[in-house]
Every structure is written in structure tokens, then in C-alpha cells.
Amino acid sequence: MALTRLQVIQALRAEVSDGRAIVGAGAGTGISAKFIEKGGADLIIIYNSGRFRMAGHSSMCGLLPLGDANAIVLEMGEREVLPVVKHVPVIAGVNGTDPTRDLGLFLTKIKDAGFSGVNNFPTVGLFDGRIRRELEASGMGFEREVEMIAAAHALDLFTVVYVFTPEEAVAMVDAGADAVIAHMGLTVGGSIGMDEDGAFSLDDAVDRVNAIGDAVLSRRGDVILLCHGGPIATPADAEYVMTRTNSVGFVGASSMERLPVEEALINVTTDFKNARTA
């Protein structure tokens, strides 16, 4: 059921007022979305990476030319997720740098399909170095994602955005973003996650979330600050970061559906295998 931007914001603020963390969860399948809703999530977000993740591949597949990101999200929403989610707002991960679409028309299609809002994914924020410079130079940089969020805001869609630096956060807030997610990179753990040695520490994440939060909240005090990824992989990790920052919630994808599925399937299969036959 699609909710208006104001309805989504009011529901999230009610959670914060009652002292409860906001939880946004990525869903790569209908069954994930169905039971994430039953678990009490406040937002369900569909990313193209979810399709690859739940097919057993890395979430990083969503950043490579392995399919039409916007078409994948629309199909997943219309045929898998939106039909089974009854009350929680569903958010579409929109590739704002896609030069092959009129994004104004596409955002209207997203709204008409029943999505309550949008998120900027895939995002060039996950690229750095030479490839990032070349994407920016060729007109497919982060500014295109900012423009997409501004267009979504004008359509009265709820906007929850990934940012990686305080400067990106301010640009998104100025474009009208309702919620900002401080992104800490690929989630650690499991079969296809980031190795812990290659990720930030939790204390590094705290510093980065605080830097983004300070920039955002000094710019516009009504923005909802959330955190995601990197070393923040468990409820305890999220609590560690939230109690040391202005973040009032957590957004998880691998941590919400991949890691629990990996563990549960291993355990139940092992239990069946150990069942006695006589």
C-alpha cells in the first residue's frame, strides 16, 4: 500500500518519539519482504543488488553492467514485493545516473506502481579513484543522483538517500532528502561479505556517521539520520553506533536477509542430516 511522503515521515518520527530505532530492510525476494514486514520493519527497500544477493552472488553485482537496474527494481516491486507487503512503505532503489531514461517519467511510473519513495541505488558513491573521476567527468556522477532525488521530492515521494561524505549529505539535504543514510561500505561477514580486515572498525564508523550527521543536522534539523553497512552487521553493532551518534535507525540488506538466511539454511540442513533413520 503506497503511503504519502508525509505519512511515511510521521510514522518514522513516531517511532523515534517512542524511543524505538527505525529499521529499513532491503528485500531481494517476496518472501523476504513478507516476513521482514512481520518482523516490524519501518521501511522495505528494493535494490537491484537484492536480486543478485539472493541468487547467491555479491551485492556488488548491482554496481556492474549485469542488467538494467531500474527495470529489475520495477519488476521486483510489481511482481514480487508490492503484492505481499500490506502496510509498510516500499522504497525503490533508483539508478539516478541512467542516461537511457527520462527519469521524470520513470519516477512517475515508480509512484504509479505503488512505491512510497525512492533511494539512490546503484550509487556512484561506492566508486572512488579514477573510475569515480571518469564517471563524474562524463556526466554520470553523484550530482545526477541529487537531481533524481530533487525530482522525486517534487513528486511528493519520500526520499531516503545513501551518502558517503558530509559534502554529499549536504547536497542531498538541499535537494529535499527526508532521510540520510551514512553508508559505511560493503557489509562484513558471511560467504560473500567484506573481510573484517578490509572494513572500517565500529569506532571508525561512529566517527564517519557523526561527521555526516553534524553536516546534515546543522543544515536542516528535521532530517532523519540513519546508518548502514561496513562493520554494522548485527543488532549489537547498530546499537553501538546509534548510542554514540545522532543516528536514529539502521538500514540493512545483507545483514537483514542474506546473513540470516545463510545461517538458518546451514543449521536446518545440518539438523535434518543428523536426524536418525532408525
Side-chain angles (χ1 to χ4, degrees):
M1 178 184 70
L3 301 177
T4 67
R5 172 178 170 268
L6 182 58
Q7 287 174 322
V8 177
I9 292 171
Q10 288 175 335
L12 297 181
R13 293 207 175 283
E15 293 298 300
V16 175
S17 295
D18 289 342
R20 292 188 292 268
I22 293 169
V23 174
T29 66
I31 195 167
S32 295
K34 186 174 184 177
F35 289 96
I36 284 169
E37 179 177 38
K38 287 184 179 295
D42 302 292
L43 301 169
I44 292 174
I45 309 177
I46 305 177
Y47 311 101
N48 72 317
S49 60
R51 170 157 290 176
F52 297 107
R53 179 171 56 247
M54 299 311 288
H57 309 299
S58 169
S59 299
M60 299 301 287
C61 290
L63 300 176
L64 298 175
L66 302 178
D68 181 336
N70 286 329
I72 288 171
V73 164
L74 187 59
E75 181 193 8
M76 288 172 65
E78 290 182 320
R79 297 185 60 83
E80 295 182 47
V81 175
L82 289 166
V84 299
V85 174
K86 304 304 180 184
H87 306 292
V88 176
V90 179
I91 310 301
V94 174
N95 181 4
T97 59
D98 184 351
T100 69
R101 276 190 170 83
D102 181 319
L103 281 177
L105 294 177
F106 183 71
L107 289 171
T108 299
K109 185 179 292 187
I110 285 289
K111 186 172 185 178
D112 291 344
F115 288 95
S116 299
V118 301
N119 165 259
N120 59 318
F121 192 90
T123 171
V124 299
L126 282 167
F127 292 102
D128 56 17
R130 178 173 178 174
I131 189 169
R132 176 65 180 272
R133 292 193 298 272
E134 292 183 355
L135 286 168
E136 296 285 350
S138 59
M140 292 186 288
F142 194 80
E143 180 59 30
R144 290 287 297 274
E145 297 176 29
V146 174
E147 292 169 0
M148 183 273 290
I149 292 300
H153 178 74
L155 288 173
D156 200 38
L157 285 160
F158 175 75
T159 52
V160 51
V161 299
Y162 281 135
V163 300
F164 302 82
T165 67
E167 294 76 18
E168 290 173 355
V170 168
M172 282 295 196
V173 166
D174 287 348
D178 300 303
V180 167
I181 310 166
H183 197 305
M184 297 295 112
L186 183 65
T187 302
V188 303
S191 63
I192 47 178
M194 172 66 80
D195 186 286
E196 289 188 8
D197 292 338
F200 305 132
S201 69
L202 276 174
D203 288 327
D204 288 336
V206 166
D207 291 342
R208 289 171 178 267
V209 172
N210 273 327
I212 289 170
D214 289 347
V216 163
L217 296 173
S218 64
R219 192 75 166 190
R220 222 182 72 213
D222 63 337
V223 178
I224 297 167
L225 179 66
L226 309 170
C227 58
H228 166 85
I232 316 171
T234 68
D237 296 334
E239 184 174 275
Y240 185 92
V241 173
M242 289 188 292
T243 55
R244 290 162 174 80
T245 68
N246 286 320
S247 174
V248 294
F250 170 73
V251 173
S254 293
S255 54
M256 296 293 292
E257 62 171 357
R258 176 177 63 80
L259 295 176
V261 166
E262 287 181 359
E263 183 176 352
L265 290 179
I266 290 170
N267 291 342
V268 73
T269 304
T270 301
D271 289 346
F272 273 114
K273 193 64 179 175
N274 290 337
R276 296 175 60 183
T277 59

